[in-house]
Amino acid sequence: MERTQLNRTTVIARAAELADETGFDAVTLAAIARSFGVRTPSLYAHVRDLAALRDGITALALDDLTDRIADAIAGRSQYDALLGFAAAHRTYLQEHPGRWESLHRRAGAGAVEAPAARRIVRVTDAVLLGYGITGDDRVHATRIVGAALSGFLDLERIGNFAHSTPPAEESWAELLDALHLILTHWHHRGELREKEIS
C-alpha cells in the first residue's frame, strides 16, 4: 500500500477524520502517527505539538462550516438566511461530530488568527446585516445566536431531548422563530425593556 505523503495538510486532515470517528479529545499525536504507520516524532516536522494539531482541526472545521453557511445563505436575508445559517450548523454537527467538538473549546492563536476565523465572522455578519445589526451590536447578537444554536445542538447530540415530547424538531423550529423575533426587534429592545419595567 502506498504511504500517504506527510505534510501539515494531510496530518490535520487525518486528525479531523479521527476526531469524527473517536471524539475530539481522543485525538493524540501518537494516534495520528499510528494511523500513518510512522513514529510519533515524524509528525513534529509538520505540527509543533498537540495544541497546534488541535488548533489545526479547529481551523479546518471553521473553513468547512463557513463554506456550508455561505452556500446556505446565498441570496437570502433575515429569516430565510437565519434558517440556512442554523441548518448548516446542525448538519455539520451530524456529519462531523468531532470537528464540531473542536469548535467548542478555548482555541489557541493558531485557530483564532487563522483566515478561517475571519471568514466565519464575515458570513455571520452577512446574516446580521440583513436585520440591520451593525457595529458593536454584532458581537452581542453573534454571541446570543451562537450560544442558542450551540446549546441546543449540544444537548440534542447527547440525547437530552430524547425522553420527552414534543420532538426536538419542533423545539428547533421554535428556537429559530424566537431568534428571528429577537433579531427583528433588536433595535427596540431597550424600549421594550422600559415598558416592562414601567
Side-chain angles (χ1 to χ4, degrees):
M1 187 173 76
E2 185 178 347
R3 176 172 288 184
T4 302
Q5 179 65 43
L6 290 186
N7 54 49
R8 178 176 170 77
T9 300
T10 57
V11 169
I12 290 174
R14 179 63 57 83
E17 290 171 2
L18 288 180
D20 288 337
E21 293 169 9
T22 64
F24 180 75
D25 289 338
V27 174
T28 63
L29 288 166
I32 302 302
R34 280 195 303 273
S35 76
F36 282 119
V38 300
R39 294 169 61 83
T40 301
S42 301
L43 300 183
Y44 290 113
H46 312 292
V47 289
R48 184 183 65 252
D49 52 23
L50 181 59
L53 179 72
R54 290 182 169 177
D55 277 348
I57 298 172
T58 300
L60 182 150
L62 285 170
D63 243 347
D64 287 348
L65 180 56
T66 300
D67 287 342
R68 290 180 181 228
I69 293 171
D71 287 343
I73 69 173
R76 301 180 179 183
S77 65
Q78 293 204 353
Y79 190 59
D80 286 342
L82 179 63
L83 289 180
F85 182 84
H89 283 77
R90 199 178 192 194
T91 57
Y92 194 71
L93 163 58
Q94 291 166 351
E95 295 172 18
H96 298 292
R99 298 177 211 205
W100 172 265
E101 285 182 71
S102 80
L103 298 173
H104 296 84
R105 54 185 280 269
R106 186 180 178 90
V112 174
E113 297 170 6
R118 293 189 290 276
R119 289 185 65 225
I120 202 161
V121 168
R122 287 197 295 271
V123 294
T124 304
D125 284 352
V127 175
L128 298 178
L129 281 170
Y131 289 96
I133 299 173
T134 61
D136 289 344
D137 279 349
R138 291 181 306 106
V139 177
H140 300 308
T142 296
R143 289 172 178 168
I144 289 167
V145 171
L149 295 181
S150 295
F152 185 99
L153 292 174
D154 281 338
L155 290 172
E156 183 180 43
R157 175 174 63 92
I158 62 176
N160 269 29
F161 303 145
H163 308 295
S164 60
T165 58
E169 197 65 38
E170 291 184 21
S171 299
W172 176 250
E174 293 289 347
L175 172 65
L176 298 183
D177 284 348
L179 287 174
H180 174 62
L181 186 65
I182 290 169
L183 297 176
T184 300
H185 295 284
W186 185 267
H187 297 295
H188 305 291
R189 64 195 187 285
E191 301 166 21
L192 295 172
R193 200 160 44 231
E194 288 176 9
K195 286 181 181 178
E196 288 293 326
I197 293 172
S198 62

